[in-house]
């Protein structure tokens, strides 16, 4: 039978069922058919149909009531109840005809795909008889188009380029059910196009197409339209973007895992373009970005945070809006080596290639030396009356600073015997460095006491007083591996060399507070001249060719007065941190070669602190978050090389150069640092 004939037959059946319903409704009692009481009910027609949601089924539902012998029961009242799907029936109760049949018209509920069930019920003396009818509700004819706007829909783009996301509509019937198979036609103004120009809705009623905006760049927005037969068209609008530029976060040099705030400016012919969407994508380096998409604020600025990956070298991030892209770059510093070479159950005071000098917390006043190869400890101090606070190793022994109640005292352990070298002065505690009671270089140490400035030959165990006038001595002296000693007295810098003490400083005209805190490598001398304004400190270098001012060439630049972490020298190399004034937040790290070539190692705007300088010019330094920070990320940088990241530092750590290696002393651990 053709579909036309089938529809005609269903219409005739529906009309006959309506006439039958009217006839049955007039019956008030079963006819005299000889049938017994109702014993069963079943569906004889109209079950398992498929129809449009919210519409009447094409065929009536017909049930039959029979007695215990299977004979039709006429005149029996049958109740029809919708039990799922929310539909309705023509009559709540229908009486069976002579064949025991009852017919009813079922209108399905409004939700397509939902379960639809109808029950026919007969009440008897022994209970209730039930027949269940099922039907499937599909969508009706398309009545409405709606814009389908998931979270990644873009509402702005660049003229002449495709939008970054597809445009989409959903076709629904009169009850809001999605309708599949609907042809959608797409069109755009201002010369725009869609690809494809026509698309068909899927099982969810959604059709998509990509909009390429026209070339017009002088209007506020472009418009486009999606239409379908029998449905109201849907209009789309996209703001015109004519400016897409980088704002912040580009070109940074950072350590692995650094979070970089990035932002772009989004503008159109009439100013900022809020409501657009910028997509952020990590394109190299393995980092992450959050959020993956962001909208410009009222000023047209879209922001994200780019966390760079661990891969050393260039890494890239792409920002995309419509047909425009921007690439952000960051250079991730390579990582240097940080190898654990020794560990003790206490606090490391000093270490060299074969030993560790450490403070044992198991007893008050207990200091030990551990052989790194064998792990065997030798106790050099075990006295509860002592308060050991610092120490230094030398060939064949160790020095220990004892901060007892009578004042700081220098102890020496040599050949198994501990002896006092007498009282010692310390530098004042300052934010730019720890207190420095005595230096050790090669086989020499030097210190200041109430009896003067002393130098001790640690190989022979002999002490020489190089300046017997301690009253005018300022601070702590320095010593070089060749036995040179430098110190400050009477506002000038003095050097002891080969049995002769001479003044080596060359005072500048505006010196008011003298020259202080010298350092020497046995050839050169480095010291600070402090001016009448306390934060104007000149860094001066005395070298065989004459004196030279390294920094502080005008009244607003200089270095911190206290040198432990602010300046140092070794084998002709010089390193220092340079500040504009005491309020400055920019403290870059500088390095000068023996040939006099200056190099700035850290970016302006950063705060640097020195750790240690090797004889080949390799420098270990930190970059702090502020001048008062206790620690920061640590780097190692050889001459001519790039900085290598050694990881974050911790308060109280110390880096020393011993036996051709940089050693990091951190709590109870000793690490070797390598570029």
């Amino acid at each position: 039978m053709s579909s036309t004939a089938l529809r005609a037959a269903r219409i005739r059946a529906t009309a006959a069922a309506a006439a039958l319903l009217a006839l049955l409704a007039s019956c008030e009692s079963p006819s005299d058919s000889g049938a017994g009481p109702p014993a069963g009910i079943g569906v004889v027609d109209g079950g398992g149909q498929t129809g449009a949601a919210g519409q009447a089924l094409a065929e009536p539902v017909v049930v039959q009531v029979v007695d215990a012998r299977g004979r039709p029961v006429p005149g029996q009242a049958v109740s029809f109840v919708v039990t799922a799907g929310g539909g309705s029936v023509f009559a709540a109760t229908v009486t069976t005809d002579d064949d025991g049949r009852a017919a009813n018209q079922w209108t399905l509920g409004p939700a397509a795909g939902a379960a639809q069930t109808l029950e026919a019920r007969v009440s008897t003396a022994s209970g209730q008889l039930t027949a269940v009818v099922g039907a499937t509700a599909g969508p009706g004819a398309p009545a409405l188009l709606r814009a389908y706007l998931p979270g990644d829909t873009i509402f702005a783009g660049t003229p002449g380029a495709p939008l970054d996301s597809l445009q989409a509509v959903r076709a629904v019937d009169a009850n809001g059910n999605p309708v599949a198979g609907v042809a959608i036609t797409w069109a755009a103004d201002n010369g725009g196009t869609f690809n494809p120009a026509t698309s068909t809705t899927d099982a969810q009623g959604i059709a998509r197409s990509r909009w390429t905006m026209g070339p017009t760049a002088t209007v506020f927005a472009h418009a486009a339209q999606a239409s379908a037969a029998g449905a109201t068209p849907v209009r789309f609008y996209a703001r015109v973007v004519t400016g897409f530029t980088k704002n912040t976060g580009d070109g940074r040099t950072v350590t692995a895992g650094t979070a970089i705030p990035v932002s772009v400016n989004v503008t159109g012919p009439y100013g900022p373009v809020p409501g657009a969407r910028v997509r952020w994508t990590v394109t190299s380096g393995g980092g992450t970005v959050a959020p993956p998409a962001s909208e410009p604020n009222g000023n047209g600025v879209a922001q994200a945070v780019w966390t760079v990956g661990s891969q050393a070298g260039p890494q890239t991030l792409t920002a995309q809006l419509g047909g425009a892209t921007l690439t952000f770059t960051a250079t991730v510093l390579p990582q240097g080596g940080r190898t654990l070479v020794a560990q003790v159950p206490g606090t490391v005071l000093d270490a060299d290639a074969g030993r560790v000098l450490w403070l044992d917390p198991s007893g008050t006043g207990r200091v030990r030396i551990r052989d790194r190869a064998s792990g065997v400890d030798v106790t050099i101090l075990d006295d509860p009356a002592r308060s050991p606070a610092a120490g230094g190793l030398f060939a064949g022994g160790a020095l220990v600073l004892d901060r007892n109640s009578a004042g700081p005292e220098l102890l020496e352990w040599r050949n198994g015997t501990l002896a006092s070298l007498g009282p010692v002065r310390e530098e004042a505690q300052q934010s730019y460095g720890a207190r420095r009671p005595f230096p050790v270089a090669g086989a020499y140490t030097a210190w200041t006491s109430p009896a003067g400035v002393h130098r001790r030959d640690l190989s022979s165990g002999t002490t020489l007083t190089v300046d017997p006038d301690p009253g005018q001595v300022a601070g702590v002296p320095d010593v070089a591996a060749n036995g040179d000693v430098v110190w400050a007295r009477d506002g000038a810098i003095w050097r002891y060399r080969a049995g002769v003490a001479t003044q080596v400083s060359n005072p500048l005209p505006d010196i008011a507070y003298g020259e202080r805190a010298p350092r020497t490598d046995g050839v050169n001398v480095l010291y600070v001249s402090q001016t009448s304004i306390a934060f104007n400190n000149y860094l001066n270098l005395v070298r065989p060719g004459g004196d030279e001012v390294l920094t502080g060439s005008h009244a607003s630049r200089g270095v911190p007065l206290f040198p432990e972490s602010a300046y140092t020298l070794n084998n002709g190399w010089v390193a220092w941190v340079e500040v504009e004034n005491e309020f400055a937040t920019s403290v870059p790290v500088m390095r000068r070669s023996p040939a006099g070539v200056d190099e700035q190692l850290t970016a302006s705007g950063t705060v640097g602190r020195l750790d240690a300088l090797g004889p080949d010019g390799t420098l270990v330094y930190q970059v702090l978050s502020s001048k008062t920070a206790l620690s920061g990320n640590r780097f190692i940088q050889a001459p001519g090389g790039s900085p290598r990241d050694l990881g974050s530092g911790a308060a109280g750590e110390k880096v020393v150069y011993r036996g051709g290696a940089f050693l990091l002393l951190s709590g109870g651990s000793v690490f070797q640092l390598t570029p």
Side-chain angles (χ1 to χ4, degrees), residues 147-313:
Y148 179 68
L149 304 175
D152 60 353
T153 302
I154 302 299
F155 298 98
T158 52
L163 293 186
D164 190 36
S165 64
L166 297 175
Q167 304 305 115
V169 294
R170 171 173 272 156
V172 297
D173 64 13
N175 293 296
N177 296 301
V179 182
V182 179
I184 305 296
T185 300
W186 304 87
D189 65 5
N190 290 293
T193 59
F194 275 91
N195 185 21
T198 302
S199 55
T200 304
T201 58
D202 59 17
Q204 287 74 45
I206 299 171
R208 297 174 174 85
S209 185
R210 186 173 297 280
W211 180 8
T212 296
M213 297 177 68
T216 305
T218 57
V219 296
F220 181 79
H222 288 195
Q225 177 176 290
S227 58
T232 303
V234 172
R235 297 282 286 174
F236 296 91
Y237 298 91
R239 292 279 301 271
V240 173
V241 175
T242 55
F244 186 49
T245 57
K246 288 182 275 191
N247 187 33
T248 60
D250 190 32
R252 295 277 302 275
T253 297
V254 296
T255 59
T258 297
I260 304 174
V262 291
S263 64
V264 294
N265 292 315
V266 182
T267 56
Y270 300 97
V273 183
R277 186 164 304 220
V278 177
R279 296 184 185 276
W280 304 92
T281 306
V282 174
T283 46
S284 70
T288 60
V289 64
S294 58
E295 295 184 2
N297 57 24
N299 296 320
V301 178
Q303 301 172 315
V305 176
W306 176 21
T307 301
V308 298
S310 59
Q311 177 180 314

Side-chain angles (χ1 to χ4, degrees), residues 124-152:
T124 67
S126 59
Q128 181 173 269
L129 305 175
T130 302
V132 179
V133 185
T136 300
L144 182 67
L145 291 183
R146 294 174 178 169
Y148 179 68
L149 304 175
D152 60 353

Side-chain angles (χ1 to χ4, degrees), residues 5 18 43 82 214 251 320 381 405 442 463 489 567 610:
V43 179
V82 175
Q320 181 178 358
L381 175 64
S405 58
T463 299
R489 177 167 64 83
Y567 55 88
L610 306 182

Side-chain angles (χ1 to χ4, degrees), residues 568-579:
T568 188
L569 76 171
N570 193 342
N571 197 33
W573 290 89
V574 183
W576 70 94
V577 294
E578 183 173 288
V579 298

Side-chain angles (χ1 to χ4, degrees), residues 253 332-336 601-602 621 635-638 641-645:
T253 297
V332 176
L333 297 174
Q335 293 185 331
L601 302 187
T602 59
Y621 59 90
F635 301 90
I636 186 169
Q637 187 168 358
S642 61
R644 300 183 72 87
D645 180 19

Side-chain angles (χ1 to χ4, degrees), residues 640-669:
S642 61
R644 300 183 72 87
D645 180 19
L646 293 169
S648 59
E653 291 182 336
K654 181 180 179 182
V655 178
V656 297
Y657 187 82
R658 301 280 190 270
F662 290 100
L663 300 177
L664 169 63
L665 315 181
S666 177
S669 301

